[in-house]
């Protein structure tokens, strides 16, 4: 009798269980998949993606938590602050946990410099932000009118993404490697789909308001560089230590879909970074990387009922994080989870 009741309850639970697919295994998709597990009972969650870890854009990101007032154009500032604050809380909790080393998140102090007043939005959500006086800037051997010292977080995605995936699988998450040509392929297989495909949404949804902003980085071995630097010049440059390497970068090419490394661009990055921090001339170049930031104005975080010849599909879109996917991922994942919950409410079903 007891045996029968056990199986009976298992079967009814299985019947009740909602099947959710999260499409995308970048920092946005994996954060969303984990949050759904953590917040919603009786769900089975499957991550579907054609690229994982080193093959994603997220893997190459500088990983710095550095939002600015233009981080999410078209999104009300209070909403953006909430996403940033939620992400900051998540990363800060990890910092003091036993997982800190494994997940690749660390606290880092660095410097911003520019000839124009600096965007100090980050001061609202970072650990510390202090403007530097001209005297302090001069003592650091920099020739800028404005400077600030900021303490914020950096997530080394080469460790953070595999860590997120491990957490997801520990919770019972499923993973499928597959390229989708259309979300219609998921009709009838999942109750709700969360679309976290970044630039892939341009073709998958399709949504031509998502566009690439190409970036290129030189990864070097320079263990003496302990702080990050941002130089807000006409041709900007940044230097971000991340794990056992330092990322040199700063280029942004709108609507450039190519992913090859342009040697001319690399020369420019090298020249700008080594002219600011001359000791970098002695750094060993490890590899170069280029990636396409998935921009959209505004970032898309909303529900949609998509209608296809095969049937309709409840979709939560969560894409278009531009240059701030690492910064915003946890906050937008929490928000996307709420939208999934809204889809699951009984009164929502009856409205369809
Ligand atoms: C040079 C550079 C430096 C950066 N530095 C920072 C930084 O310091 N801080 C910061 O916050 N952000 C930074 N970013 C931005 C950050 O990398 C992105 O915002 C972030 O990676 C976007 O994450 P995502 O999960 O949306 O997309 P992605 O990482 O691109 O993941 C998309 C996922 O969707 C899947 N997918 C797409 N289409 C399909 C399909 N049709 N079928 C199946 N799967 C599909 C892919 O396989 C992949 O798994 C940087 C970006 C670049 C290029």
């Amino acid at each position: 009798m007891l045996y029968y009741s056990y199986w009976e309850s298992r079967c009814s639970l299985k019947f009740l269980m909602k099947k959710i697919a999260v499409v995308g295994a970048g920092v946005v998709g994996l954060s969303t998949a984990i949050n759904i597990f953590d917040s919603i009972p009786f769900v089975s969650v499957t991550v579907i993606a054609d690229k994982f870890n080193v093959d994603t854009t997220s893997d190459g990101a500088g990983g710095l938590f550095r939002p600015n007032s233009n981080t999410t154009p078209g999104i009300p500032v209070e909403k953006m602050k909430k996403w940033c604050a939620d992400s900051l809380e998540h990363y800060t909790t990890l910092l003091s946990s036993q997982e800190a080393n494994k997940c690749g998140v660390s606290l880092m102090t660095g410097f911003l410099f520019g000839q124009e007043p600096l965007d100090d939005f980050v001061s609202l959500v970072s650990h510390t932000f202090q403007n530097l006086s001209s005297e302090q800037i001069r003592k650091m051997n920099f020739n800028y009118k404005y400077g600030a010292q900021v303490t914020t977080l950096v997530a080394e995605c080469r460790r953070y993404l595999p860590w997120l995936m491990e957490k997801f699988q520990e919770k019972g998450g499923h993973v499928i490697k597959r390229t989708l040509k259309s979300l219609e392929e998921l009709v009838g297989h999942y109750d709700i789909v969360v679309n976290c495909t970044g630039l892939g949404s341009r073709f998958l949804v399709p949504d031509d308001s998502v566009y690439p902003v190409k970036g290129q980085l030189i990864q070097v071995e320079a263990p003496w560089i302990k702080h990050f630097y941002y130089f807000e010049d006409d041709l900007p440059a940044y230097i971000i230590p991340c794990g056992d390497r330092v990322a040199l970068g700063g280029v942004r090419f709108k609507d450039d879909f190519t992913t090859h490394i342009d040697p001319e661009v690399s020369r420019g990055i090298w020249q700008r970074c080594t002219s600011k921090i001359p000791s970098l001339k002695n750094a060993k170049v490890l590899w170069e990387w280029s990636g396409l930031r998935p921009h959209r104005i505004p970032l898309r975080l909303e529900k949609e009922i998509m209608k296809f010849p095969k049937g309709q599909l409840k979709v939560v879109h969560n894409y278009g994080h531009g240059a701030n996917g690492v910064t915003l991922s946890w906050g937008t994942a929490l928000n996307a989870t709420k939208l999934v919950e809204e889809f699951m409410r009984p009164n929502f079903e009856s409205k369809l």
Side-chain angles (χ1 to χ4, degrees):
M1 184 61 191
L2 193 71
Y3 177 80
Y4 174 74
S5 305
Y6 171 76
W7 282 108
E8 193 181 43
S9 62
R10 281 293 297 262
C11 290
S12 56
L13 268 185
K14 213 167 176 191
F15 179 71
L16 279 175
M17 211 169 237
K18 293 281 181 198
K19 288 181 81 181
I20 316 245
V22 175
V23 188
V27 68
V28 175
L30 293 179
S31 304
T32 305
I34 290 177
N35 271 290
I36 292 171
F37 255 133
D38 286 349
S39 310
I40 309 180
F42 305 125
V43 283
S44 105
V45 187
T46 303
V47 166
I48 303 172
D50 55 2
K51 290 182 183 152
F52 295 85
N53 297 323
V54 291
D55 295 323
T56 63
T57 309
S58 303
D59 177 79
L64 199 68
F65 183 92
R66 198 214 146 191
N68 60 42
S69 53
N70 202 29
T71 287
T72 52
I75 296 284
V77 73
E78 286 311 314
K79 193 173 232 187
M80 171 160 98
K81 272 199 221 162
K82 169 86 177 120
W83 291 341
C84 291
D86 285 342
S87 292
L88 188 74
E89 186 183 334
H90 158 72
Y91 288 126
T92 307
T93 307
L94 281 178
L95 268 184
S96 54
S97 77
Q98 276 181 309
E99 303 285 314
N101 193 36
K102 197 169 176 193
C103 71
V105 175
S106 46
L107 200 64
M108 190 177 292
T109 294
F111 303 93
L112 317 176
F113 295 106
Q115 303 300 3
E116 304 293 329
L118 297 169
D119 185 324
D120 62 357
F121 178 86
V122 69
S123 66
L124 302 175
V125 286
S126 59
H127 286 263
T128 64
F129 182 97
Q130 196 186 357
N131 282 309
L132 299 175
S133 66
S134 330
E135 179 62 11
Q136 286 169 319
I137 298 172
R138 198 187 52 74
K139 275 189 185 155
M140 292 181 76
N141 291 326
F142 292 121
N143 185 17
Y144 285 96
K145 270 196 188 156
Y146 299 92
Q149 180 180 313
V150 187
T151 300
T152 185
L153 293 140
V154 66
E156 187 195 345
C157 281
R158 196 140 288 189
R159 282 200 279 165
Y160 185 55
L161 286 186
W163 179 83
L164 285 174
M165 179 56 94
E166 192 181 304
K167 293 288 135 196
F168 172 66
Q169 291 187 305
E170 272 172 22
K171 290 171 196 289
H174 310 282
V175 180
I176 297 175
K177 185 170 167 48
R178 171 175 166 190
T179 305
L180 295 175
K181 288 201 175 72
S182 162
L183 289 174
E184 184 175 13
E185 293 168 39
L186 305 179
V187 172
H189 298 286
Y190 296 95
D191 297 295
I192 300 169
V193 169
V194 190
N195 171 26
C196 304
T197 53
L199 190 61
S201 290
R202 188 175 169 100
F203 312 100
L204 190 63
V205 176
D207 176 358
D208 61 12
S209 55
V210 202
Y211 59 93
V213 176
K214 183 178 176 179
Q216 200 169 303
L217 296 177
I218 307 175
Q219 299 281 359
V220 301
E221 191 180 294
W224 59 90
I225 302 289
K226 305 286 185 204
H227 306 292
F228 68 85
Y229 298 86
Y230 265 80
F231 302 100
E232 306 285 7
D233 298 322
D234 290 341
L235 277 174
Y238 62 69
I239 296 162
I240 308 176
C242 198
D244 53 4
R245 61 207 151 87
V246 180
L248 315 183
V251 292
R252 292 164 164 267
F253 301 113
K254 187 169 181 266
D255 286 329
D256 186 342
F257 283 86
T258 65
T259 51
H260 69 278
I261 305 288
D262 182 335
E264 199 51 46
V265 171
S266 294
R267 265 193 289 280
I269 293 173
W270 181 258
Q271 193 279 327
R272 290 196 294 284
C273 291
T274 55
S275 69
K276 309 290 180 198
I277 309 280
S279 69
L280 280 172
K281 285 183 188 150
N282 302 314
K284 181 177 162 198
V285 174
L286 298 173
W287 73 88
E288 294 181 56
W289 180 83
S290 79
L292 306 181
R293 302 173 180 95
H295 274 263
R296 186 182 189 275
I297 302 176
L299 177 160
R300 190 168 188 201
L301 187 35
E302 63 184 5
K303 300 195 293 277
E304 182 187 15
I305 295 180
M306 297 183 79
K307 294 190 171 78
F308 300 103
K310 261 191 181 177
Q312 59 183 29
L313 191 65
K314 292 179 190 163
V315 179
V316 172
H317 295 288
N318 185 11
Y319 63 86
H321 294 61
N324 291 282
V326 183
T327 302
L328 298 170
S329 54
W330 201 262
T332 53
L334 280 167
N335 197 148
T337 302
K338 287 215 169 73
L339 299 181
V340 172
E341 279 172 328
E342 283 175 24
F343 260 145
M344 289 170 76
R345 282 185 200 141
N347 57 352
F348 193 93
E349 301 271 351
S350 63
K351 278 187 208 151
L352 292 179

